[in-house]
Amino acid sequence: MKITAALIVAIFIFLNNVPPAYALASSAPPEIHGTGAYLIDVQSGQTLYSKNGDLQLQPASTTKIMTGLLAIENGKLDDVVTLSSTLLNYQIVYGTRIYLEPGEQMTLRNLLYALMLNSANDAAVGIAEYIGGDLPHFVSMMNEKAKSLGLKDTTFKNPSGLTDNGHVTTAHDLARIAQAAYANATFRDYIQTQRYTIPRSKPNVPTEMINENKLLGKDSYINGMKTGYTAAAQNCLVASASKDGRDLIGVILQSPGREIYTDMENLLDYGFTQFQTTEFKPSGSALSQLQIGKEQVNMLLEKPILTTHKLGEANTEPILKINSTSANLTQVNKGQVIGNVEVWDENEKLMDIPLVADRTISPTPVNQGLFKTSKWGSYLFLLGILFFLLFLREKSGRANRRLRQARLKNEGSRIRESNNPDIS
């Protein structure tokens, strides 16, 4: 009896001291206090969690994800930007700032540190004017980029995320914007930087840029993205994380307080522990063929197609839509992009993957083409040459015979003349 009691106590102590790493995570989605939330797997593009994912909400400074991406895509980091007098317009520039002044010069590289780490609104305006020429044009670029990503519920009104009538997005759309930005290596370098010092000539101005993302450095697997806050938008957070070869992006909008950080950790843990990503089509798979002249080339996947499904549930196959380049191609090199495959999950396109040629096909020379048309065509061609040579030979023989006859005739005339001498 004592042994049994001791065994029960030992088991109880063991279970209560099991390290968290071995504890079984709940399969149920976590409670999210924010009004809107979304979670995606970056590699497959699939949605793992949604709470009011298509509800339009204000994004606050998470807007700067789009601003930073456009700056990196359209500018050169070492370019020197001269700040304009727009910085004095306090209806446009207020809130978090590093107190840039008109005429002050700073590289685009350092303005991006101020934008992505310190969330400086004056840096956002300076970047927008430099990249777009003026604020309206840059805002148009933001909206065009959103459309190119297939987003229908996002409208930007400014580059900083300050409250502006009609400046809205959704948790879903913001996750897709973050996914596009995360694909850019330079952007990833910025969002995972915790601290950076920018040089400035004027004294007593901010130079130490400190990342506002409180999860960065706290959780080893969280590698960046962006925070945001306004009175209207409340607390907003986009976070990216990488673990065991998988990358996730989470979005929480309109959260009432600092529980947004705990909610995000729980959301990301849910994605990592309750979902599995598998290979649907490996890299190099032939998805279709393209006609090049009279030959066909296989269209190969440049990278694998992956799918993500919840543990214990059936894996759903994505829909593939293959697009090829012009059918008028006459040559192609091995590895050349000759099309793409769109990966769809129901009504949403998740990604485009390039398709490349599996071999080189060169234009067929004209003289080879005559012989390669068909076996009988080649025989007819050779037969024609033979008849032509026989014709030339026969024509030459007739000419030689006429020449001999003419010579014989002339010689006979000379003999007759010699037998009949001229008497005069």
Side-chain angles (χ1 to χ4, degrees), residues 19-267:
Y22 296 96
L24 294 176
S26 171
S27 62
E31 180 184 2
I32 304 297
H33 294 86
T35 302
Y38 214 78
L39 180 67
I40 63 170
D41 184 286
V42 173
Q43 279 83 1
S44 69
Q46 288 179 278
T47 300
L48 312 186
Y49 175 88
S50 176
K51 176 185 178 181
N52 297 322
D54 294 324
L55 178 64
Q56 287 187 322
L57 298 167
Q58 294 190 44
S61 284
T62 60
T63 297
K64 295 182 174 82
I65 295 172
M66 177 65 88
T67 301
L69 176 60
L70 287 177
I72 293 168
E73 288 182 339
N74 296 279
K76 296 179 180 178
L77 297 182
D78 292 324
D79 285 355
V80 176
V81 180
T82 302
L83 285 307
S84 79
S85 60
T86 306
L87 299 178
L88 300 177
N89 186 339
Y90 296 111
Q91 291 183 328
I92 296 175
V93 182
Y94 61 93
T96 304
R97 289 167 288 166
I98 60 170
Y99 300 99
L100 295 167
E101 295 183 346
E104 184 175 354
Q105 292 187 321
M106 186 175 291
T107 63
L108 180 61
R109 182 189 309 277
N110 290 333
L111 282 173
L112 280 165
Y113 279 116
L115 177 85
M116 298 307 299
L117 276 62
N118 198 65
S119 199
N121 295 325
D122 47 0
V125 170
I127 289 170
E129 289 192 321
Y130 174 70
I131 297 296
D134 55 43
L135 287 178
H137 185 244
F138 185 80
V139 171
S140 294
M141 292 173 64
M142 297 173 74
N143 289 314
E144 285 300 318
K145 182 70 173 181
K147 288 180 182 178
S148 73
L149 295 173
L151 309 180
K152 300 177 181 179
D153 298 313
T154 295
T155 301
F156 293 111
K157 297 290 187 178
N158 62 66
S160 62
L162 289 170
T163 303
D164 204 336
N165 186 33
H167 186 94
V168 293
T169 188
T170 66
H172 162 271
D173 284 10
L174 192 52
R176 296 304 176 191
I177 293 169
Q179 182 183 15
Y182 191 77
N184 187 293
T186 301
F187 184 90
R188 290 198 304 273
D189 287 340
Y190 276 98
I191 61 174
Q192 66 186 3
T193 302
Q194 291 182 261
R195 187 182 297 265
Y196 189 86
T197 301
I198 60 175
R200 300 182 71 180
S201 58
K202 185 179 178 180
N204 302 320
V205 291
T207 57
E208 191 77 5
M209 302 296 105
I210 301 173
N211 202 315
E212 295 290 333
N213 185 356
K214 304 304 187 230
L215 295 180
L216 195 62
K218 178 179 181 293
D219 295 300
S220 60
Y221 62 92
I222 294 178
N223 54 19
M225 214 55 85
K226 190 72 187 71
T227 63
Y229 174 81
T230 65
Q234 299 186 54
N235 291 284
C236 303
L237 177 61
V238 179
S240 57
S242 182
K243 182 189 289 187
D244 299 329
R246 293 177 60 206
D247 296 294
L248 304 182
I249 290 175
V251 176
I252 299 177
L253 296 178
Q254 204 176 80
S255 186
R258 294 183 65 83
E259 67 272 7
I260 191 171
Y261 289 109
T262 303
D263 286 354
M264 182 61 77
E265 289 175 304
N266 293 336
L267 184 61

Side-chain angles (χ1 to χ4, degrees), residues 111-413:
L111 282 173
L112 280 165
Y113 279 116
L115 177 85
M116 298 307 299
L117 276 62
N118 198 65
S119 199
N121 295 325
D122 47 0
V125 170
I127 289 170
E129 289 192 321
Y130 174 70
I131 297 296
D134 55 43
L135 287 178
H137 185 244
F138 185 80
V139 171
S140 294
M141 292 173 64
M142 297 173 74
N143 289 314
E144 285 300 318
K145 182 70 173 181
K147 288 180 182 178
S148 73
L149 295 173
L151 309 180
K152 300 177 181 179
D153 298 313
T154 295
T155 301
F156 293 111
K157 297 290 187 178
N158 62 66
S160 62
L162 289 170
T163 303
D164 204 336
N165 186 33
H167 186 94
V168 293
T169 188
T170 66
H172 162 271
D173 284 10
L174 192 52
R176 296 304 176 191
I177 293 169
Q179 182 183 15
Y182 191 77
N184 187 293
T186 301
F187 184 90
R188 290 198 304 273
D189 287 340
Y190 276 98
I191 61 174
Q192 66 186 3
T193 302
Q194 291 182 261
R195 187 182 297 265
Y196 189 86
T197 301
I198 60 175
R200 300 182 71 180
S201 58
K202 185 179 178 180
N204 302 320
V205 291
T207 57
E208 191 77 5
M209 302 296 105
I210 301 173
N211 202 315
E212 295 290 333
N213 185 356
K214 304 304 187 230
L215 295 180
L216 195 62
K218 178 179 181 293
D219 295 300
S220 60
Y221 62 92
I222 294 178
N223 54 19
M225 214 55 85
K226 190 72 187 71
T227 63
Y229 174 81
T230 65
Q234 299 186 54
N235 291 284
C236 303
L237 177 61
V238 179
S240 57
S242 182
K243 182 189 289 187
D244 299 329
R246 293 177 60 206
D247 296 294
L248 304 182
I249 290 175
V251 176
I252 299 177
L253 296 178
Q254 204 176 80
S255 186
R258 294 183 65 83
E259 67 272 7
I260 191 171
Y261 289 109
T262 303
D263 286 354
M264 182 61 77
E265 289 175 304
N266 293 336
L267 184 61
L268 292 170
D269 285 341
Y270 172 70
F272 282 124
T273 61
Q274 298 304 312
F275 290 83
Q276 179 180 4
T277 297
T278 57
E279 192 173 66
F280 175 64
K281 294 283 185 181
S283 177
S285 297
L287 294 191
S288 185
Q289 290 185 322
L290 183 64
Q291 193 76 23
I292 307 293
K294 294 185 177 296
E295 300 189 57
Q296 288 185 328
V297 60
N298 289 320
M299 304 172 73
L300 308 181
L301 273 172
E302 191 175 64
K303 65 178 185 178
I305 298 175
L306 305 175
T307 58
T308 304
H309 65 281
K310 194 169 184 180
L311 297 176
E313 296 183 3
N315 194 7
T316 302
E317 293 188 359
I319 300 170
L320 306 183
K321 298 181 181 180
I322 298 171
N323 304 308
S324 61
T325 55
S326 172
N328 296 324
L329 287 175
T330 58
Q331 64 179 13
V332 68
N333 295 318
K334 183 178 181 180
Q336 178 182 334
V337 175
I338 55 175
N340 72 290
V341 56
E342 299 176 2
V343 183
W344 288 73
D345 184 8
E346 295 183 354
N347 296 322
E348 181 178 20
K349 185 172 75 170
L350 301 180
M351 61 184 62
D352 284 313
I353 299 178
L355 297 174
V356 300
D358 71 330
R359 63 192 180 106
T360 297
I361 296 179
S362 301
T364 304
V366 176
N367 59 338
Q368 291 184 13
L370 292 172
F371 287 93
K372 291 184 178 181
T373 301
S374 68
K375 180 175 69 175
W376 292 109
S378 299
Y379 290 157
L380 290 173
F381 178 76
L382 293 173
L383 188 60
I385 292 177
L386 179 61
F387 277 120
F388 180 71
L389 292 175
L390 291 173
F391 169 75
L392 292 178
R393 181 179 177 182
E394 177 63 24
K395 185 176 181 180
S396 175
R398 288 197 298 270
N400 289 334
R401 287 194 294 273
R402 286 196 296 270
L403 183 59
R404 286 196 297 271
Q405 291 174 355
R407 287 177 179 173
L408 290 173
K409 183 178 180 180
N410 291 338
E411 193 169 327
S413 298

